[in-house]
Structures are given as C-alpha cells and as structure tokens.
Amino acid sequence: QVQLQQWGAGLLKPSETLSLTCAVFGGSFSGFYWSWIRQPPGKGLEWIGELNHSGNTNYNPSLKSRVTMSLDTSKNQLSLNLSSVTAADSAVYFCARGHIFDFLSGSYYLDFWGQGTLVTVSS
Amino acid sequence: DVVMTQSPLSLPVTPGESASISCRSSESLLQSNGYNYLDWYLQKPGQSPHLLIYMGSNRASGVPDRFSGSGSGTDFTLKISRVEAEDVGVYYCMQALQTPRTFGQGTKLEIK
C-alpha cells in the first residue's frame, strides 16, 4: 500500500521560505505525477503545482515566481519550497500522487494523499 | 484557468435518503478519446481528501457503489444513494484537463 508522509517547519515569519518534504513508501516515482495542494484554514483546495519522475514541473501561475519543486529519487522524496511567504500562505499543505490516465496530455487523478502539514506565517 | 462551480455549497441530508451534487466547468472536459477529465474527492472532517470518482464516472478502489458519477462536457453530478453518517464531509470536484488543476468550492454534506 502506498503511503505519503510529510514533514516541515510549521511556523514561519513573513519573508521566510517554506520548505516541506514528502516521503513515498510502498511505490516508485516512475510513471506518476506528484502534486502539492494547499488549503487555507476553513477554505477550499488550491493546486500549487506538479512534477513527474523526470523532474519536469508545472506550477500554478499565481505562485510560479515563488515555487520550486524537486525530487530525490534516491530517497523516494519530493520537496516543496515557497519563498517570501506572507500570512496569505498560511494553510495546510498536502502532497499527492497523480495516477496518469492519459500519457499524451499528462492528465491524472490524485489517488494517494499525504496527511497534510499545517504551516502558519506570523510575525 | 478552468473555473469549477459546485452547487449546493451546503447539503443537509437525512440518513437513508439520496443526495446529489452538481459541478459545472467553464470549459468542456470531454476529450476526443471519449473520456471526461473530471474527478470527485471527499474530505472527511480532520482528514486529507481522498479520491471517490475519476474520469467522470469511475469509482476508485474501495469506494462503495452508493457513490456514482455522471455527466459530460461541462455538467457533472455526484450522486450518493442511501446516505450514511460516515459520508459527512466536504466534496470537491477537480478538472484534470489542463494546468493549473482547479477545484470546485466544495459542498459540505451534513446529516440532519
């Protein structure tokens, strides 16, 4: 059974960089997309971006200038960095596996999710 | 971006009755291969979201057959027959057609 386990700093000051890691157990990176999604307190889901096992990335244009995603295939881990955070970046952050059903377009559904990491930005 | 609009946003349901949630997209999610690039997720209280339905109408592994997805193009419906107490939570639709992936606002199902 695939499991995604996340961790990272939960309290940041404005202008700092958010760094989260997601470890994948019970499966490989190859053949899947890997997404990060966030959820501000009491609100809905926002897609942050994705990367595949080759390291190709797509980011939400609303965050693109501040986001970096990467893979460490030797450790079966993916990471998210979000720079220059503000209070608006306070949210629960999820990693999720994208199961590809259309390899031409790269479309997928999110079949496994991490437990979520609450990140609060406050001075 | 593809805009996803759900209704209703709040859905009180009596156990044993059925419930329906609508999701509309600003662009057609029907591809030339005949599949609709629309997924449904449920986020139970205090939990991560999990997959219910993918490609418009396919139930994910382990999802009870009380859950069904239908629709095509820009109009989709998630139906829950014989609602149970364990079905409470927030239901989201998500388009998988293009990036950025976008979600509906969420529909909160509660038990009367």
Side-chain angles (χ1 to χ4, degrees):
Chain A
Q1 177 75 336
V2 175
Q3 291 187 353
L4 278 60
Q5 184 174 342
Q6 316 172 212
W7 65 88
L11 181 60
L12 297 172
K13 289 182 168 53
S15 81
E16 292 184 332
T17 295
L18 177 158
S19 292
L20 298 176
T21 302
C22 175
V24 180
F25 300 96
S28 73
F29 276 144
S30 183
F32 298 98
Y33 267 87
W34 302 90
S35 284
W36 288 94
I37 296 107
R38 69 180 184 178
Q39 184 173 38
K43 296 189 177 180
L45 302 169
E46 179 184 26
W47 184 82
I48 300 170
E50 66 188 19
L51 72 169
N52 65 12
H53 68 277
S54 300
N56 298 318
T57 56
N58 284 303
Y59 300 139
N60 193 318
S62 66
L63 299 167
K64 187 174 183 177
S65 63
R66 299 192 291 128
V67 172
T68 303
M69 296 180 183
S70 61
L71 294 177
D72 185 337
T73 55
S74 67
K75 295 182 179 179
N76 259 25
Q77 294 177 358
L78 55 152
S79 65
L80 169 69
N81 284 345
L82 181 66
S83 63
S84 304
V85 297
T86 69
D89 295 312
S90 295
V92 176
Y93 287 74
F94 299 98
C95 58
R97 190 181 81 167
H99 187 114
I100 302 171
F101 58 84
D102 182 344
F103 282 88
L104 279 179
S105 69
S107 294
Y108 53 78
Y109 51 85
L110 298 166
D111 58 354
F112 290 98
W113 293 64
Q115 80 277 18
T117 302
L118 175 62
V119 176
T120 302
V121 181
S122 174
S123 55
Chain B
D1 298 2
V2 179
V3 178
M4 307 297 291
T5 305
Q6 290 182 228
S7 63
L9 299 185
S10 178
L11 185 56
V13 184
T14 301
E17 295 189 341
S18 65
S20 291
I21 300 170
S22 170
C23 176
R24 290 187 173 180
S25 58
S26 60
E27 298 179 29
S28 176
L29 304 183
L30 177 62
Q31 285 295 83
S32 57
N33 57 15
Y35 294 109
N36 286 281
Y37 288 17
L38 185 283
D39 307 324
W40 290 96
Y41 299 87
L42 165 60
Q43 185 175 31
K44 294 185 177 182
Q47 296 185 15
S48 305
H50 68 269
L51 179 68
L52 290 175
I53 302 288
Y54 62 95
M55 296 168 67
S57 59
N58 296 277
R59 269 189 305 277
S61 175
V63 174
D65 59 8
R66 301 183 293 103
F67 292 87
S68 62
S70 63
S72 185
T74 61
D75 290 303
F76 300 89
T77 301
L78 176 70
K79 182 176 180 180
I80 313 165
S81 58
R82 306 182 306 280
V83 168
E84 300 181 1
E86 66 177 22
D87 300 334
V88 298
V90 182
Y91 292 78
Y92 295 95
C93 59
M94 187 197 85
Q95 62 83 16
L97 180 68
Q98 59 182 246
T99 59
R101 314 289 181 205
T102 46
F103 294 87
Q105 316 97 301
T107 296
K108 186 174 184 178
L109 186 147
E110 59 181 28
I111 298 296
K112 284 183 182 176

PDB file of all heavy atoms in Angstrom, chain A residues 49-66:
ATOM      1  N   GLY A  49       1.165  22.919  -7.765  1.00  0.00           N
ATOM      2  CA  GLY A  49       1.970  22.526  -8.907  1.00  0.00           C
ATOM      3  C   GLY A  49       2.210  21.038  -8.927  1.00  0.00           C
ATOM      4  O   GLY A  49       1.729  20.296  -8.069  1.00  0.00           O
ATOM      5  N   GLU A  50       2.976  20.596  -9.919  1.00  0.00           N
ATOM      6  CA  GLU A  50       3.227  19.170 -10.115  1.00  0.00           C
ATOM      7  C   GLU A  50       4.610  18.965 -10.705  1.00  0.00           C
ATOM      8  O   GLU A  50       5.194  19.871 -11.304  1.00  0.00           O
ATOM      9  CB  GLU A  50       2.191  18.587 -11.086  1.00  0.00           C
ATOM     10  CG  GLU A  50       2.328  19.153 -12.509  1.00  0.00           C
ATOM     11  CD  GLU A  50       1.222  18.767 -13.450  1.00  0.00           C
ATOM     12  OE1 GLU A  50       0.133  18.351 -13.001  1.00  0.00           O
ATOM     13  OE2 GLU A  50       1.462  18.892 -14.679  1.00  0.00           O
ATOM     14  N   LEU A  51       5.104  17.743 -10.517  1.00  0.00           N
ATOM     15  CA  LEU A  51       6.324  17.344 -11.211  1.00  0.00           C
ATOM     16  C   LEU A  51       6.265  15.854 -11.469  1.00  0.00           C
ATOM     17  O   LEU A  51       5.576  15.111 -10.759  1.00  0.00           O
ATOM     18  CB  LEU A  51       7.586  17.722 -10.424  1.00  0.00           C
ATOM     19  CG  LEU A  51       7.967  16.975  -9.152  1.00  0.00           C
ATOM     20  CD1 LEU A  51       9.379  17.374  -8.738  1.00  0.00           C
ATOM     21  CD2 LEU A  51       7.007  17.243  -8.043  1.00  0.00           C
ATOM     22  N   ASN A  52       6.938  15.418 -12.518  1.00  0.00           N
ATOM     23  CA  ASN A  52       6.960  13.988 -12.816  1.00  0.00           C
ATOM     24  C   ASN A  52       8.314  13.399 -12.445  1.00  0.00           C
ATOM     25  O   ASN A  52       9.202  14.097 -11.956  1.00  0.00           O
ATOM     26  CB  ASN A  52       6.585  13.730 -14.273  1.00  0.00           C
ATOM     27  CG  ASN A  52       7.602  14.293 -15.259  1.00  0.00           C
ATOM     28  OD1 ASN A  52       8.702  14.691 -14.866  1.00  0.00           O
ATOM     29  ND2 ASN A  52       7.230  14.317 -16.526  1.00  0.00           N
ATOM     30  N   HIS A  53       8.467  12.103 -12.710  1.00  0.00           N
ATOM     31  CA  HIS A  53       9.667  11.425 -12.245  1.00  0.00           C
ATOM     32  C   HIS A  53      10.914  11.910 -12.975  1.00  0.00           C
ATOM     33  O   HIS A  53      12.029  11.686 -12.520  1.00  0.00           O
ATOM     34  CB  HIS A  53       9.523   9.915 -12.427  1.00  0.00           C
ATOM     35  CG  HIS A  53       9.500   9.484 -13.866  1.00  0.00           C
ATOM     36  ND1 HIS A  53       8.353   9.513 -14.625  1.00  0.00           N
ATOM     37  CD2 HIS A  53      10.474   9.021 -14.686  1.00  0.00           C
ATOM     38  CE1 HIS A  53       8.628   9.080 -15.839  1.00  0.00           C
ATOM     39  NE2 HIS A  53       9.904   8.774 -15.912  1.00  0.00           N
ATOM     40  N   SER A  54      10.707  12.585 -14.111  1.00  0.00           N
ATOM     41  CA  SER A  54      11.846  13.138 -14.841  1.00  0.00           C
ATOM     42  C   SER A  54      12.241  14.511 -14.332  1.00  0.00           C
ATOM     43  O   SER A  54      13.219  15.091 -14.821  1.00  0.00           O
ATOM     44  CB  SER A  54      11.510  13.233 -16.334  1.00  0.00           C
ATOM     45  OG  SER A  54      11.212  11.959 -16.860  1.00  0.00           O
ATOM     46  N   GLY A  55      11.439  15.023 -13.399  1.00  0.00           N
ATOM     47  CA  GLY A  55      11.733  16.337 -12.843  1.00  0.00           C
ATOM     48  C   GLY A  55      11.079  17.476 -13.587  1.00  0.00           C
ATOM     49  O   GLY A  55      11.312  18.648 -13.262  1.00  0.00           O
ATOM     50  N   ASN A  56      10.256  17.183 -14.582  1.00  0.00           N
ATOM     51  CA  ASN A  56       9.537  18.238 -15.301  1.00  0.00           C
ATOM     52  C   ASN A  56       8.441  18.803 -14.414  1.00  0.00           C
ATOM     53  O   ASN A  56       7.702  18.050 -13.779  1.00  0.00           O
ATOM     54  CB  ASN A  56       8.922  17.683 -16.587  1.00  0.00           C
ATOM     55  CG  ASN A  56       9.964  17.169 -17.540  1.00  0.00           C
ATOM     56  OD1 ASN A  56      11.017  17.786 -17.724  1.00  0.00           O
ATOM     57  ND2 ASN A  56       9.722  16.025 -18.145  1.00  0.00           N
ATOM     58  N   THR A  57       8.339  20.112 -14.386  1.00  0.00           N
ATOM     59  CA  THR A  57       7.410  20.765 -13.466  1.00  0.00           C
ATOM     60  C   THR A  57       6.388  21.635 -14.197  1.00  0.00           C
ATOM     61  O   THR A  57       6.630  22.132 -15.295  1.00  0.00           O
ATOM     62  CB  THR A  57       8.175  21.659 -12.478  1.00  0.00           C
ATOM     63  OG1 THR A  57       8.965  22.605 -13.219  1.00  0.00           O
ATOM     64  CG2 THR A  57       9.079  20.843 -11.571  1.00  0.00           C
ATOM     65  N   ASN A  58       5.223  21.786 -13.543  1.00  0.00           N
ATOM     66  CA  ASN A  58       4.223  22.781 -13.920  1.00  0.00           C
ATOM     67  C   ASN A  58       3.751  23.432 -12.622  1.00  0.00           C
ATOM     68  O   ASN A  58       3.420  22.729 -11.669  1.00  0.00           O
ATOM     69  CB  ASN A  58       3.006  22.141 -14.610  1.00  0.00           C
ATOM     70  CG  ASN A  58       3.304  21.743 -16.028  1.00  0.00           C
ATOM     71  OD1 ASN A  58       3.708  22.571 -16.839  1.00  0.00           O
ATOM     72  ND2 ASN A  58       3.116  20.471 -16.338  1.00  0.00           N
ATOM     73  N   TYR A  59       3.744  24.763 -12.618  1.00  0.00           N
ATOM     74  CA  TYR A  59       3.352  25.474 -11.412  1.00  0.00           C
ATOM     75  C   TYR A  59       2.104  26.311 -11.680  1.00  0.00           C
ATOM     76  O   TYR A  59       1.857  26.757 -12.808  1.00  0.00           O
ATOM     77  CB  TYR A  59       4.474  26.401 -10.933  1.00  0.00           C
ATOM     78  CG  TYR A  59       5.772  25.703 -10.593  1.00  0.00           C
ATOM     79  CD1 TYR A  59       6.996  26.265 -10.958  1.00  0.00           C
ATOM     80  CD2 TYR A  59       5.788  24.507  -9.898  1.00  0.00           C
ATOM     81  CE1 TYR A  59       8.190  25.654 -10.632  1.00  0.00           C
ATOM     82  CE2 TYR A  59       6.974  23.873  -9.575  1.00  0.00           C
ATOM     83  CZ  TYR A  59       8.173  24.451  -9.948  1.00  0.00           C
ATOM     84  OH  TYR A  59       9.360  23.825  -9.632  1.00  0.00           O
ATOM     85  N   ASN A  60       1.338  26.536 -10.610  1.00  0.00           N
ATOM     86  CA  ASN A  60       0.217  27.453 -10.711  1.00  0.00           C
ATOM     87  C   ASN A  60       0.778  28.851 -11.007  1.00  0.00           C
ATOM     88  O   ASN A  60       1.647  29.324 -10.276  1.00  0.00           O
ATOM     89  CB  ASN A  60      -0.569  27.457  -9.405  1.00  0.00           C
ATOM     90  CG  ASN A  60      -1.921  28.128  -9.533  1.00  0.00           C
ATOM     91  OD1 ASN A  60      -2.052  29.168 -10.172  1.00  0.00           O
ATOM     92  ND2 ASN A  60      -2.935  27.535  -8.905  1.00  0.00           N
ATOM     93  N   PRO A  61       0.281  29.494 -12.054  1.00  0.00           N
ATOM     94  CA  PRO A  61       0.807  30.829 -12.391  1.00  0.00           C
ATOM     95  C   PRO A  61       0.726  31.818 -11.232  1.00  0.00           C
ATOM     96  O   PRO A  61       1.562  32.724 -11.141  1.00  0.00           O
ATOM     97  CB  PRO A  61      -0.089  31.269 -13.560  1.00  0.00           C
ATOM     98  CG  PRO A  61      -0.512  29.991 -14.201  1.00  0.00           C
ATOM     99  CD  PRO A  61      -0.685  29.027 -13.064  1.00  0.00           C
ATOM    100  N   SER A  62      -0.250  31.608 -10.344  1.00  0.00           N
ATOM    101  CA  SER A  62      -0.414  32.545  -9.229  1.00  0.00           C
ATOM    102  C   SER A  62       0.731  32.447  -8.225  1.00  0.00           C
ATOM    103  O   SER A  62       0.934  33.352  -7.419  1.00  0.00           O
ATOM    104  CB  SER A  62      -1.740  32.272  -8.516  1.00  0.00           C
ATOM    105  OG  SER A  62      -1.720  30.997  -7.899  1.00  0.00           O
ATOM    106  N   LEU A  63       1.492  31.346  -8.275  1.00  0.00           N
ATOM    107  CA  LEU A  63       2.582  31.124  -7.324  1.00  0.00           C
ATOM    108  C   LEU A  63       3.920  30.885  -8.004  1.00  0.00           C
ATOM    109  O   LEU A  63       4.942  30.761  -7.328  1.00  0.00           O
ATOM    110  CB  LEU A  63       2.261  29.913  -6.436  1.00  0.00           C
ATOM    111  CG  LEU A  63       1.011  30.001  -5.583  1.00  0.00           C
ATOM    112  CD1 LEU A  63       0.665  28.623  -5.006  1.00  0.00           C
ATOM    113  CD2 LEU A  63       1.211  31.001  -4.450  1.00  0.00           C
ATOM    114  N   LYS A  64       3.904  30.853  -9.311  1.00  0.00           N
ATOM    115  CA  LYS A  64       5.055  30.383 -10.082  1.00  0.00           C
ATOM    116  C   LYS A  64       6.366  31.071  -9.736  1.00  0.00           C
ATOM    117  O   LYS A  64       7.418  30.442  -9.695  1.00  0.00           O
ATOM    118  CB  LYS A  64       4.758  30.557 -11.578  1.00  0.00           C
ATOM    119  CG  LYS A  64       5.794  29.950 -12.489  1.00  0.00           C
ATOM    120  CD  LYS A  64       5.350  30.039 -13.948  1.00  0.00           C
ATOM    121  CE  LYS A  64       6.362  29.360 -14.861  1.00  0.00           C
ATOM    122  NZ  LYS A  64       5.920  29.373 -16.280  1.00  0.00           N
ATOM    123  N   SER A  65       6.316  32.362  -9.483  1.00  0.00           N
ATOM    124  CA  SER A  65       7.552  33.112  -9.236  1.00  0.00           C
ATOM    125  C   SER A  65       8.197  32.747  -7.900  1.00  0.00           C
ATOM    126  O   SER A  65       9.370  33.066  -7.671  1.00  0.00           O
ATOM    127  CB  SER A  65       7.267  34.619  -9.261  1.00  0.00           C
ATOM    128  OG  SER A  65       6.376  34.967  -8.223  1.00  0.00           O
ATOM    129  N   ARG A  66       7.447  32.060  -7.020  1.00  0.00           N
ATOM    130  CA  ARG A  66       7.974  31.771  -5.684  1.00  0.00           C
ATOM    131  C   ARG A  66       8.129  30.284  -5.395  1.00  0.00           C
ATOM    132  O   ARG A  66       8.643  29.926  -4.329  1.00  0.00           O
ATOM    133  CB  ARG A  66       7.035  32.383  -4.627  1.00  0.00           C
ATOM    134  CG  ARG A  66       6.898  33.891  -4.708  1.00  0.00           C
ATOM    135  CD  ARG A  66       6.197  34.444  -3.480  1.00  0.00           C
ATOM    136  NE  ARG A  66       4.788  34.082  -3.404  1.00  0.00           N
ATOM    137  CZ  ARG A  66       4.207  33.531  -2.352  1.00  0.00           C
ATOM    138  NH1 ARG A  66       4.912  33.242  -1.268  1.00  0.00           N
ATOM    139  NH2 ARG A  66       2.909  33.261  -2.357  1.00  0.00           N
TER     140      ARG A  66
END
